[in-house]
Amino acid sequence: MKLIIVKDQQEGAKKAFEIFQEAINNGAKVLGLATGSTPLPLYKEMRESDLDFSELVSVNLDEYVGLEGTDPNSYRQFMEENLFQAKPFKASYVPDGKNPNAEEVLAEYDRILEEHPLDVQLLGLGVNGHIGFNEPGTPFDKTTHKVNLTDETIESNKRFFDKEEDVPRYAYTMGPKSIMAAKQVVLLAFGESKADAVKGMVEGPVTEDLPASVLQNHPDTTVIVDEAAASKLTRSK
Ligand code: GLP
């Protein structure tokens, strides 16, 4: 696990942008993308760049169950607004949150991932160490699955909704196994609220209680954190 400590989210976005640029120059064709506030400056860098995604495929990590793709809180809509409208891909996949038939959605997404193996997967980090929507306790061998979101995640994500009751209780997400299959992983985490999760991910035991710790077993993962998120680490590289 390579660790890069930056001064702030902007600098982190620039570093992450360079990694994506290099991967694309080296032939990456499938980008695994993430939502949340963490990647926003990176998506801005991408929008303002001369990178061309029109021959690339994107596959997003997760989606809330029950939201139409046009719902302002859906991750599909988030991606449209923050990246896809400005930089269209050849195809952009996000799990189909409006399809209540989980079995169908999950099988379809696993098929998509098989057809488009991930070259670079971007990740944020939940305050409880989740990646995608893989909450603590998720078996590492899960591929795409349906999750019951934890109270902590609902609490943390309610800032995007008008009221807490509006936050969906379920999500479809790539599993730890799907993420670990990516050739390269770039994880971003900024701010003090992520410091415990960062410490567990980088220095703690590899445990299903802290899903991101599985990345210690990934051969090519770069973790980019700011000083606040790195504040509980004992190592600095
Ligand atoms: C959500 C997403 C994750 C994301 C996390 C952190 O739960 N499913 O993919 O990493 O939020 O969000 P933020 O970047 O806003 O802190």
Side-chain angles (χ1 to χ4, degrees):
M1 195 178 254
K2 188 174 164 204
L3 178 67
I4 301 178
I5 302 178
V6 292
K7 91 176 170 308
D8 56 24
Q9 195 170 355
Q10 299 305 325
E11 195 189 330
K14 289 209 159 59
K15 292 265 180 224
F17 178 81
E18 285 164 18
I19 295 173
F20 273 92
Q21 194 172 34
E22 196 188 330
I24 293 166
N25 289 341
N26 288 334
K29 290 279 176 251
V30 183
L31 306 187
L33 300 178
T35 53
S37 49
T38 303
L40 284 173
L42 168 62
Y43 291 149
K44 183 164 186 278
E45 291 279 329
M46 287 177 166
R47 289 196 306 270
E48 292 171 357
S49 74
D50 55 11
L51 281 183
D52 176 15
F53 297 133
S54 62
E55 291 304 314
L56 273 64
V57 167
S58 70
V59 189
N60 259 75
L61 281 169
D62 48 13
E63 179 61 285
Y64 288 116
V65 175
L67 300 188
E68 292 282 337
T70 49
D71 187 295
N73 280 308
S74 74
Y75 284 169
R76 160 68 72 181
Q77 189 59 28
F78 174 100
M79 291 309 302
E80 290 294 338
E81 281 167 20
N82 290 294
L83 190 62
F84 300 158
Q85 281 165 11
K87 291 279 184 188
F89 284 69
K90 187 166 70 180
S92 282
Y93 299 101
V94 180
D96 184 2
K98 68 180 185 313
N99 185 348
N101 184 339
E103 225 169 286
E104 205 172 275
V105 177
L106 307 179
E108 167 73 355
Y109 221 60
D110 282 344
R111 193 196 55 72
I112 288 166
L113 284 164
E114 230 164 83
E115 197 180 319
H116 305 287
L118 298 164
D119 287 307
V120 197
Q121 177 63 55
L122 175 67
L123 297 175
L125 183 66
V127 288
N128 59 6
H130 76 219
I131 44 177
F133 265 135
N134 293 287
E135 298 284 29
T138 306
F140 284 157
D141 64 358
K142 284 260 186 196
T143 56
T144 314
H145 60 119
K146 182 179 175 181
V147 295
N148 195 344
L149 299 173
T150 61
D151 292 344
E152 202 172 5
T153 297
I154 290 167
E155 171 67 27
S156 157
N157 288 356
K158 72 175 187 203
R159 64 202 143 109
F160 299 110
F161 294 80
D162 291 338
K163 34 187 193 332
E164 189 169 335
E165 304 88 85
D166 293 345
V167 187
R169 265 41 189 171
Y170 294 93
Y172 297 128
T173 183
M174 280 188 207
K177 190 173 174 191
S178 337
I179 294 169
M180 289 294 280
K183 275 199 209 117
Q184 189 178 359
V185 173
V186 181
L187 182 143
L188 308 179
F190 305 110
E192 212 200 321
S193 67
K194 305 289 172 76
D196 284 320
V198 167
K199 183 168 174 58
M201 165 178 70
V202 177
E203 295 179 348
V206 175
T207 165
E208 289 171 352
D209 293 338
L210 200 144
S213 66
V214 74
L215 297 168
Q216 289 181 34
N217 293 337
H218 189 278
D220 188 358
T221 287
T222 305
V223 170
I224 302 175
V225 289
D226 65 355
E227 282 157 16
S231 59
K232 297 197 173 158
L233 292 176
T234 50
R235 63 177 261 203
S236 59
K237 281 193 195 147

